[in-house]
Amino acid sequence: MTTTTDFLSHLNPSQRRAVEHHCGPLLVVAGAGSGKTRALTYRIANLILQHRVDPENILAVTFTNKAAREMKERIQKLFADRLAITEYNERFDLLPEDDQTKLKSKVWKNYIKDMWCGTFHSLLSRVLRFDIDKYQDEKGRQWTRNFSIFDESDAQSLVKEIVTKQLNLDNKKFEPRSVRYAISNAKNQGLSPKEFETEQPNYRGRVIAEVYNHYQSRLAQNNALDFDDLILVPVRLFQQNEQVLGYWHNKFRHILVDEYQDTNRTQYELIRLLTTNNETKKTDWDWTNRSTFVVGDADQSIYSFRMADFTILLDFQQDFGDGLPDDDTRTMVKLEENYRSCENILQAANQLIENNTQRIDKILKATRGAGEEIFCHKADDEIAEADFVIKEISSLENQHPELNWGSFAILYRTNAQSRPFEELLVRSGIPYTVVGGIKFYDRKEIKDVLAYLRAIANPADTLSLLRVINTPRRGIGKATIDALVNAAQELGTTLWEILIDETSVNTLAGRSAKAVNTFAQMIRHLQEQIETVPVSELVQGVLENSGYIKDLETQSTDEAEDRLQNVQQLFNAALQFEEENEDVNLQAFLASTALSSDLDNLKEGETAVSLLTLHASKGLEFPVVFLVGMEQGLFPNYRSMNDPASLEEERRLCYVGITRAQERLYITHARERRLYGSREPALRSQFLDELPEELLMTRQKSTVAYTKGTAGSTAQRTTKRNQDTTASWQVGEKVLHKAFGIGEITHIFGSGNKVSLAIKFDSLGQKIIDPRVAQLQRVEW
């Protein structure tokens, strides 16, 4: 039998220190590619094996369902490998298939099944299935345990209806999407409608607070929560009910949080409540048989637009830890050894991120060789840029048998940049996938079938009933639906209560009464099967009884055929869900579909070139990465140029992009780019000038010159830069740019040889410019 020592022997010293930590708080600062998933996985295994912690007392929070699945699979493999040695004296992978299945089943039952491992949203939706009936908000609104989860499009529709119909607001002044965004931000900051109004007492704030209030009432009427509520409601519940908080505090004795830099204030409050049982005095916290273990990296915090707050990670030592300096602390461990990227890539990433001020100091250390130089290419325009990238991909794929199309990723700042790459990939016959396109669960036919299932599970969900009452068409017109809805509102009841009363339907629906009654009977029939038939059979029942499949088959079009294949995939998804989960009721299946993300569905080893935004690339890695569109105003974007904090986030985003590359990194920019219909000159990104010049290679450099770092063109440019940095620029000064014309300096960033200028040009607006590159001339008036 292997010992615990053997079990941890291949961890590096920092990983091992993190894994062997038992009780109390610990912050693990985990650099990109430093094996944080391994540390989390082994820590859970060590808690169970060495400290005899019951798996049901472990709460492990990840930021994607994919990460949760990976963690569970790794833990299962780890335990299966150990059991294979102890029970069969043989390696797991050498055992017969039947024995492997028995071991995996045993591990699942003893270790995995009872562990709470998943995203904030999925875990807390489970908590609310137990306790939401004990909660009421400040207006006395309540929910029951069979609540629906409204996705973003449902939430948008509800807000739009309130803005345009219920309150008759000017939808140009109060654009529904921006109102919805404001409500979401309020919830992520833990604000109720009343608290939001207090913080935003101006006219716009008061109106949005009113919409927010109506929105919460409509959610409650539908017995529904949105994604943000899945975090906010448990926090409010714990704050108002000591008994409920005490139960979950005692249950979750060891809390692990991945990607801690991406938490928002509401998520932080949730962790604080579960950790401390709402005891505010730090000296009174009892860490006996309890730990809070958070893993993250401030340098990879890129989601402030979702209200993520990386200062939560920076404040961990003060909030939970001992607050001592890095060299003395016992409540922080740094993972700095990188197992993903070659040394040249890491050197570039390290030098770039050192320009940020708000971070915990760390250096990514290479465990691999130097690798290829970073190739920097300047194209004439976005078409030439795409042409270079696609030709380079074709060449590399031909020359290197170890690479396939799935080895390549093209990363860009905005989705709009994908078009020229997609067109050339199609023309070249190269398979590709756009990560972040229309999600499977956002397709119309899938949302239709899920709406049926939600109406069956939660008949108070009026939004779902309205979506499917005449889908497919069954002769129930808008006037009939309006009459039924109005009657429900007048009586203060749900639409479903009207639908199941034949007398009421016959009175209100006129000639459509038969169709409405048939629809209601179908829903009731399927409701009766919820407890007795598998989810996959319920899906099949909806597809057949509703006439949905028959309607698609009748259409006989390519689009209808695609939709048929998609609804069949939903049936397959239900089967897979039944195979992979212990809790296989309809509510659990609906929760899993509502909380699915497009990144969860990115297939491992997919043999297609990946096109994705830098934000979507977080957590992924590729042998060859093309970082495209590295130009001022595009990356970093215009909005960040006058805001130092935003500029630091753009730099972190660039750092994330660079560290996605394992073997090779290409960076491209263009001389000009078509923006808003017209061609505009483009300046290379300031981030390029923050990378180590000796590691950047272009076609213009000779091999000898590159090796020595003294190419003539490079030396000449450096001399000009040095000359420029001697100039003392002043705000208000007029300057001449050879491409942009005359402009006025409005801001100065940095100092010495890292200075950059914000210049307002009469015809082009404001641009951030590196005076070392642009060769600006002063204009004397």
Side-chain angles (χ1 to χ4, degrees), residues 208-227:
I208 290 176
E210 186 181 8
V211 177
Y212 184 3
N213 193 41
H214 284 290
Y215 174 69
Q216 290 305 107
S217 294
R218 294 290 294 277
L219 285 173
Q221 288 166 14
N222 284 274
N223 191 32
L225 302 175
D226 65 20
F227 285 173

Side-chain angles (χ1 to χ4, degrees), residues 378 669 682-686 688-689 693 717 720-722 724-725 737-738 755 769-776:
K378 183 177 185 178
H669 61 107
L683 284 176
R684 58 186 264 148
S685 170
Q686 67 188 82
L688 278 173
D689 296 318
E693 192 170 319
R717 195 181 75 179
K720 286 175 180 173
R721 285 184 183 176
N722 290 338
D724 284 340
T725 56
H737 186 283
K738 63 182 179 181
V755 73
I769 288 176
D770 184 340
R772 298 166 296 172
V773 177
Q775 301 174 29
L776 298 174

Side-chain angles (χ1 to χ4, degrees), residues 336-383:
E336 297 176 293
E337 291 184 49
N338 177 284
Y339 298 92
R340 176 189 298 155
S341 305
C342 292
E343 186 177 6
N344 287 341
I345 294 168
L346 296 182
Q347 280 190 35
N350 284 329
Q351 185 159 321
L352 173 80
I353 205 63
E354 280 178 4
N355 290 279
N356 272 11
T357 58
Q358 289 192 291
R359 58 190 299 261
I360 294 173
D361 188 47
K362 71 173 191 323
I363 300 283
L364 293 179
K365 299 167 186 173
T367 58
R368 307 178 57 195
E372 301 287 334
E373 301 93 344
I374 298 167
F375 193 90
C376 185
H377 177 75
K378 183 177 185 178
D380 287 335
D381 57 20
E382 72 275 12
I383 305 301

Side-chain angles (χ1 to χ4, degrees), residues 281-533:
K281 198 173 179 183
K282 195 173 177 181
T283 53
D284 289 344
W285 293 351
D286 183 6
W287 288 105
T288 307
N289 296 319
R290 175 176 295 282
S291 67
T292 294
F293 179 95
V294 304
V295 182
D297 179 9
D299 292 339
Q300 297 185 72
S301 177
I302 58 174
Y303 296 120
S304 65
F305 64 94
R306 296 180 189 166
M307 301 308 292
D309 184 352
F310 72 97
T311 63
I312 291 170
L313 181 145
L314 297 180
D315 292 342
F316 181 89
Q317 285 287 69
Q318 207 58 45
D319 293 345
F320 295 98
D322 55 27
L324 296 175
D326 292 6
D327 292 338
D328 303 324
T329 181
R330 298 177 63 85
T331 56
M332 181 172 71
V333 173
K334 295 179 184 179
L335 304 185
E336 297 176 293
E337 291 184 49
N338 177 284
Y339 298 92
R340 176 189 298 155
S341 305
C342 292
E343 186 177 6
N344 287 341
I345 294 168
L346 296 182
Q347 280 190 35
N350 284 329
Q351 185 159 321
L352 173 80
I353 205 63
E354 280 178 4
N355 290 279
N356 272 11
T357 58
Q358 289 192 291
R359 58 190 299 261
I360 294 173
D361 188 47
K362 71 173 191 323
I363 300 283
L364 293 179
K365 299 167 186 173
T367 58
R368 307 178 57 195
E372 301 287 334
E373 301 93 344
I374 298 167
F375 193 90
C376 185
H377 177 75
K378 183 177 185 178
D380 287 335
D381 57 20
E382 72 275 12
I383 305 301
E385 178 184 49
D387 185 62
F388 165 77
V389 169
I390 306 312
K391 282 180 178 173
E392 202 69 23
I393 287 174
S394 296
S395 175
L396 289 170
E397 199 270 344
N398 280 328
Q399 293 172 19
H400 299 274
E402 73 276 13
L403 298 176
N404 60 43
W405 299 126
S407 305
F408 302 95
I410 302 171
L411 310 184
Y412 35 76
R413 181 62 181 83
T414 65
N415 276 307
Q417 292 171 253
S418 74
R419 183 190 57 78
F421 298 99
E422 290 192 66
E423 289 177 356
L424 272 176
L425 285 164
V426 169
R427 250 182 270 160
S428 304
I430 297 174
Y432 72 93
T433 179
V434 179
V435 180
I438 295 178
K439 293 193 294 184
F440 177 75
Y441 290 108
D442 278 348
R443 293 168 184 163
K444 179 189 180 300
E445 59 276 16
I446 301 304
K447 289 180 72 68
D448 287 343
V449 179
L450 290 175
Y452 272 105
L453 294 172
R454 280 164 38 175
I456 293 163
N458 172 24
D461 185 349
T462 297
L463 212 64
S464 292
L465 282 170
L466 288 174
R467 183 180 183 105
V468 298
I469 192 169
N470 197 41
T471 304
R473 295 175 189 268
R474 46 176 67 92
I476 304 173
K478 183 178 182 301
T480 298
I481 294 171
D482 287 346
L484 294 166
V485 170
N486 290 337
Q489 290 175 347
E490 287 289 325
L491 295 173
T493 188
T494 64
L495 175 61
W496 178 245
E497 291 300 319
I498 301 293
L499 294 181
I500 57 173
D501 180 12
E502 282 195 24
T503 303
S504 298
V505 170
N506 291 338
T507 304
L508 295 165
R511 286 178 297 177
S512 302
K514 183 178 179 182
V516 174
N517 286 325
T518 301
F519 170 77
Q521 288 163 12
M522 175 193 66
I523 297 294
R524 291 187 83 164
H525 170 69
L526 290 167
Q527 283 174 341
E528 291 166 1
Q529 300 179 36
I530 286 179
E531 302 297 332
T532 57
V533 305

